Amino acid sequence: MTNLYYLHEWLSGFISSVKVDLFWTIASGFLLFLLKQYLDYRNDIAVRKRKISACKLLILNESQANLDSLTSMLSMLNEIEALEKEEGEANFSLSIREMGNEYLVGELDDKLHICRPIPHSSNDVYHKVVLDVAELSKPLFLSVQNGYEGFSMLKHIHSGLIKGLQAKQNNEPFSHNIARSGFVEYAKNELGRAEAKIVALVKYCED
């Protein structure tokens, strides 16, 4: 009986020991799982921040390039207005030169006064990153959407300028002199609105 008693005590102790070891094994495994989840979460946040920073940098560069184009376009429209106010007959036309580059040509009494490249807008980066931006950050996505409306307006003004400069050869039903068609005033107003949108996007991406 004594032997059975000691055997019972030993088995009870053994089982208790196994239970304790099993408990700590499970607890350790659970803690390691939580630690891994936490580290993965921290890593995901870091990766997300790097992606947002990269997208903002790309968008910032394209926004600044478009802002430069917008400034150049406004300067060009002011030159058209100034030449039209001069005494004499002002004429404006489109010249396609090397590599398909478009130039504004302005003449006064058949004398060349303006010859400068017509600026373009670009939204290549937008099409490449817009889906990533939509997933990464709602505030950035909304800012990009608003800013790129300005790019679209700039592109629209470019198209209108080209159409106005080709009005005579295409026999358009409006003034063939772009300075008298009302386009310049309209374009300057639209570019003012576009500038506000692009500047807001630039500031957001610089933060």
Side-chain angles (χ1 to χ4, degrees):
M1 293 294 293
T2 302
N3 291 337
L4 290 175
Y5 172 78
Y6 285 120
L7 179 61
H8 174 74
E9 288 295 312
W10 180 83
L11 287 174
S12 296
F14 176 77
I15 292 171
S16 296
S17 176
V18 169
K19 287 181 178 179
V20 170
D21 290 343
L22 181 61
F23 168 79
W24 284 113
T25 299
I26 293 173
S28 298
F30 182 68
L31 289 174
L32 287 174
F33 170 77
L34 290 179
L35 178 61
K36 182 179 183 302
Q37 290 295 104
Y38 173 73
L39 293 175
D40 288 345
Y41 173 73
R42 289 287 301 273
N43 183 63
D44 289 344
I45 290 178
V47 170
R48 179 173 172 273
K49 287 183 176 179
R50 290 197 297 270
K51 286 183 177 180
I52 290 175
S53 295
C55 288
K56 289 174 76 172
L57 179 60
L58 291 172
I59 292 167
L60 175 62
N61 291 337
E62 187 166 71
S63 299
Q64 290 174 330
N66 278 286
L67 202 54
D68 290 342
S69 294
L70 187 148
T71 301
S72 180
M73 182 69 78
L74 281 172
S75 174
M76 180 178 292
L77 295 172
N78 287 331
E79 285 191 53
I80 291 174
E81 279 188 327
L83 189 60
E84 176 62 21
K85 292 177 182 178
E86 295 287 335
E87 292 186 6
E89 182 65 27
N91 289 293
F92 304 92
S93 59
L94 175 69
S95 175
I96 308 295
R97 301 195 174 183
E98 68 282 354
M99 304 294 293
N101 293 323
E102 302 163 331
Y103 281 74
L104 166 69
V105 175
E107 298 176 327
L108 185 65
D109 294 332
D110 297 325
K111 292 182 179 179
L112 182 65
H113 281 252
I114 303 173
C115 184
R116 55 182 295 178
I118 297 174
H120 289 259
S121 64
S122 171
N123 57 6
D124 293 340
V125 169
Y126 172 77
H127 292 299
K128 291 178 181 178
V129 304
V130 64
L131 292 179
D132 289 334
V133 169
E135 294 178 354
L136 290 170
S137 169
K138 182 178 179 179
L140 176 58
F141 176 71
L142 294 176
S143 295
V144 168
Q145 288 290 89
N146 185 61
Y148 273 81
E149 286 180 14
F151 296 0
S152 297
M153 294 164 74
L154 179 56
K155 185 175 183 180
H156 170 66
I157 294 304
H158 171 269
S159 299
L161 177 63
I162 300 301
K163 185 176 182 179
L165 294 174
Q166 295 180 316
K168 185 176 181 179
Q169 68 186 67
N170 293 333
N171 196 29
E172 299 287 358
F174 49 79
S175 175
H176 293 171
N177 185 329
I178 196 168
R180 301 173 190 168
S181 65
F183 172 78
V184 173
E185 181 179 356
Y186 163 78
K188 290 174 71 173
N189 288 334
E190 287 295 289
L191 290 177
R193 294 173 54 221
E195 183 177 22
K197 292 178 179 292
I198 298 174
V199 167
L201 179 57
V202 167
K203 289 181 178 179
Y204 184 89
C205 290
E206 287 178 334
D207 290 339

